[in-house]
């Protein structure tokens, strides 16, 4: 399906598709991994040319040079890249030259089997890794369990159970795009929009009932329609398999969250998603008390 044109906006195991998400857009992180540092400032998908990243060795001069420029950032980036690309039980390691420190990263979702084995990433794998990285982004830099659904680069569904869908009953978002080619990365709401007094621990994925022009998690661009306007579901109807935006079809990742991770201003608890004030919305919330005088 082709959506209306819009202006461009500047388990694998069944048990663990409860992905811990803490990737801050200021900083894309499993536990603090910076999205700006990952996609643009440091990683430069279209500059480092991840197709040339030998996943069977991580021993190229290019990779070593990039990693040594900022080992802390590189370590966080690779946690996510490897977790998205490799299957459970597989690891990849890197020991920088002139160092006695070995960094080891563990696979989880297995989205990119060809790339993981040292071959150039296919177009589907590029799209899936891009969507997976965006799906793990968290505006607040906190670790939040989520359910990650989709298909691998070989077209096989990430394993999941009915129990997982029940535990993560809150439909959240669809992610799609391609960071490798500079086409951008996008997110759409799945299911209900947030009420004006609600806020989500996953602000990069969910928006409220009003059209959100703020784009709080750039470079992730929030599209102004729900997922079903752009995306087609898998035959089981539990997740979106692909999304078409501006005439380009992308392999997609769908996320779900726990109901307890949607907060309400007015419940008497000041959440980290809420700000001081006297009103009933997250940006002006009486639960946090009046703001101090300037």
């Amino acid at each position: 399906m082709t959506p209306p044109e819009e202006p461009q906006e500047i388990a694998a195991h069944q048990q663990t598709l409860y992905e811990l998400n803490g990737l801050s857009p200021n900083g894309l992180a499993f536990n603090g991994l910076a999205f700006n540092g990952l996609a643009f400032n440091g990683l430069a998908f279209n500059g480092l040319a991840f197709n040339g990243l030998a996943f069977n060795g991580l021993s190229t001069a290019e990779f070593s040079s990039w990693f040594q420029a900022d080992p802390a950032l590189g370590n966080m980036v690779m946690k996510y890249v490897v977790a998205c690309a490799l299957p459970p039980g597989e690891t990849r390691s890197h020991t920088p030259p002139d160092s006695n420190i070995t960094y080891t990263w563990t696979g989880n979702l297995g989205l990119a089997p060809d790339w993981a084995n040292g071959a150039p990433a296919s177009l589907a794998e590029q799209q899936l890794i891009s969507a997976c990285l965006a799906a793990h982004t968290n505006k607040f830099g906190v670790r939040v369990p989520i359910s990650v659904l989709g298909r691998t680069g070989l077209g096989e569904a990430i394993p999941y159970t009915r129990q997982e869908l029940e535990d993560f009953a809150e439909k959240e978002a669809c992610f799609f795009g391609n960071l490798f080619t500079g086409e951008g990365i996008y997110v759409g709401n799945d299911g209900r929009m947030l009420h004006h007094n609600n806020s989500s621990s996953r602000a990069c994925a969910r928006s409220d009932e009003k059209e959100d022009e703020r784009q709080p998690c750039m470079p992730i661009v929030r599209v102004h329609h729900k997922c079903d306007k752009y995306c087609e579901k898998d035959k089981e109807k539990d997740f979106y398999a692909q999304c078409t935006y501006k005439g380009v079809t992308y392999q997609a990742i769908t996320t779900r969250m726990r109901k307890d991770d949607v907060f309400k201003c007015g419940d008497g608890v000041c959440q980290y998603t809420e700000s001081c004030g006297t009103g009933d919305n997250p940006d002006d919330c009486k639960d946090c008390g009046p703001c101090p005088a300037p």
Side-chain angles (χ1 to χ4, degrees):
M1 83 186 93
T2 301
E5 189 73 15
E6 292 190 358
Q8 172 67 43
E9 295 151 352
I10 339 218
H13 302 311
Q14 297 173 332
Q15 79 265 28
T16 81
L17 300 180
Y18 306 167
E19 289 301 294
L20 287 181
N21 149 51
L23 211 96
S24 162
N26 294 325
L28 185 51
F30 219 119
N31 194 14
L33 169 66
F35 200 70
N36 286 343
L38 169 62
F40 294 88
N41 296 344
L43 196 51
F45 274 90
N46 57 354
L48 176 60
F50 251 69
N51 283 349
L53 192 159
F55 247 130
N56 55 353
L58 299 179
S59 57
T60 66
E62 270 188 315
F63 181 79
S64 291
S65 177
W66 168 75
F67 192 90
Q68 287 180 275
D70 190 339
L73 173 63
N75 182 41
M76 288 188 287
V77 169
M78 292 308 296
K79 281 184 182 179
Y80 277 101
V81 171
V82 172
C84 289
L86 272 63
E90 289 195 22
T91 61
R92 294 295 184 270
S93 297
H94 176 65
T95 304
D98 303 319
S99 171
N100 58 2
I101 300 174
T102 296
Y103 298 86
T104 299
W105 309 292
T106 303
N108 186 25
L109 295 172
L111 297 177
D114 289 343
W115 192 36
N117 288 322
S122 67
L123 181 60
E125 290 180 342
Q126 291 176 16
Q127 295 171 352
L128 287 165
I129 296 299
S130 299
C132 182
L133 292 173
H136 286 83
T137 304
N138 188 293
K139 174 183 177 181
F140 304 102
V142 298
R143 292 167 65 88
V144 179
I146 57 175
S147 170
V148 179
L149 304 170
R151 292 193 168 275
T152 72
L154 297 179
E156 300 168 348
I158 301 170
Y160 66 97
T161 64
R162 292 292 116 188
Q163 186 63 50
E164 179 179 333
L165 301 184
E166 292 177 14
D167 291 345
F168 293 82
E170 190 79 13
K171 292 181 179 179
E172 187 185 55
C174 54
F175 294 87
F176 54 94
N178 194 334
L179 291 169
F180 291 70
T181 59
E183 293 172 50
I185 191 73
Y186 305 96
V187 60
N189 274 299
D190 189 17
R192 67 184 179 93
M193 306 280 278
L194 294 176
H195 189 266
H196 80 278
N197 62 4
N198 288 136
S199 58
S200 169
S201 60
R202 298 258 304 153
C204 295
R206 298 289 294 276
S207 64
D208 60 27
E209 58 195 4
K210 298 178 182 179
E211 188 172 78
D212 190 344
E213 298 285 352
R214 292 172 293 176
Q215 299 295 342
C217 296
M218 296 297 285
I220 301 174
V221 173
R222 179 171 288 154
V223 295
H224 292 158
H225 293 286
K226 292 185 179 181
C227 296
D228 57 12
K229 292 291 184 181
Y230 304 99
C231 306
E232 297 178 358
K233 286 194 171 181
D234 181 73
K235 62 182 179 181
E236 299 297 330
K237 306 297 183 184
D238 291 326
F239 60 87
Y240 296 99
Q242 60 183 30
C243 302
T244 300
Y245 187 68
K246 297 184 182 298
V248 180
T249 298
Y250 300 96
Q251 303 303 302
I253 290 293
T254 304
T255 55
R256 298 168 68 100
M257 64 188 298
R258 301 175 303 184
K259 288 186 178 295
D260 289 347
D261 289 321
V262 176
F263 307 128
K264 179 181 179 179
C265 177
D267 64 3
V269 179
C270 180
Q271 301 285 358
Y272 57 84
T273 59
E274 298 168 342
S275 300
C276 62
T278 57
D280 65 352
N281 68 79
D283 295 328
D284 175 27
C285 185
K286 58 190 175 186
D287 296 339
C288 299
C291 294

